[in-house]
Amino acid sequence: QVQLMESGGGSAQPGGSLRLSCAASGSGSGIYVMGWYRQAPGKQRELVARVFTSGTINYKDSVKGRFTISRDNAENTVVLQMNMLKPEDTAVYYCNVVVGGQVIWGQGTQVTVSS
């Protein structure tokens, strides 16, 4: 049974930084993709960034140049470094892992950007 442990998040002022971490346990070496999604109130969940085992990375256009995703395949961890935060980045952020054909979600962590 794959389990995800998220950490990080919280509050920041516009222009500030936050860091999200996610560790997957129970998956062995079979993780295909690790990433982060977010969901703001009244909106659909959307992809923020993801990284495949091959090293391919996808970013949501609005976070390019501000957010950086990194993954440690040996440790099964993924980190999202968020810089130059904007109020519109406010949302619940969810870690997402695809392994063995299954899609696994973390419990979510709140990110609030306001002055």
Side-chain angles (χ1 to χ4, degrees):
Q1 183 75 14
V2 178
Q3 293 187 325
L4 302 180
M5 180 67 71
E6 300 168 341
S7 60
S11 298
Q13 293 187 337
S17 298
L18 288 171
R19 180 183 175 95
L20 304 180
S21 297
C22 176
S25 60
S27 62
S29 60
I31 294 178
Y32 175 58
V33 59
M34 301 185 78
W36 290 93
Y37 286 69
R38 70 187 182 189
Q39 187 167 19
K43 295 188 176 181
Q44 290 188 330
R45 193 171 297 189
E46 61 183 9
L47 173 68
V48 177
R50 64 185 176 185
V51 53
F52 293 83
T53 303
S54 64
T56 298
I57 292 176
N58 301 137
Y59 288 104
K60 177 179 173 60
D61 283 346
S62 64
V63 308
K64 288 179 180 177
R66 301 188 297 121
F67 292 9
T68 302
I69 191 169
S70 59
R71 173 179 169 180
D72 185 324
N73 289 333
E75 298 293 328
N76 287 333
T77 58
V78 62
V79 172
L80 184 68
Q81 178 65 42
M82 304 184 291
N83 298 327
M84 295 182 285
L85 284 163
K86 302 177 180 181
E88 51 263 43
D89 295 319
T90 295
V92 177
Y93 284 69
Y94 296 89
C95 181
N96 171 274
V97 165
V98 179
V99 54
Q102 287 188 311
V103 180
I104 311 296
W105 293 95
Q107 78 279 8
T109 184
Q110 178 70 45
V111 169
T112 302
V113 184
S114 69
S115 54

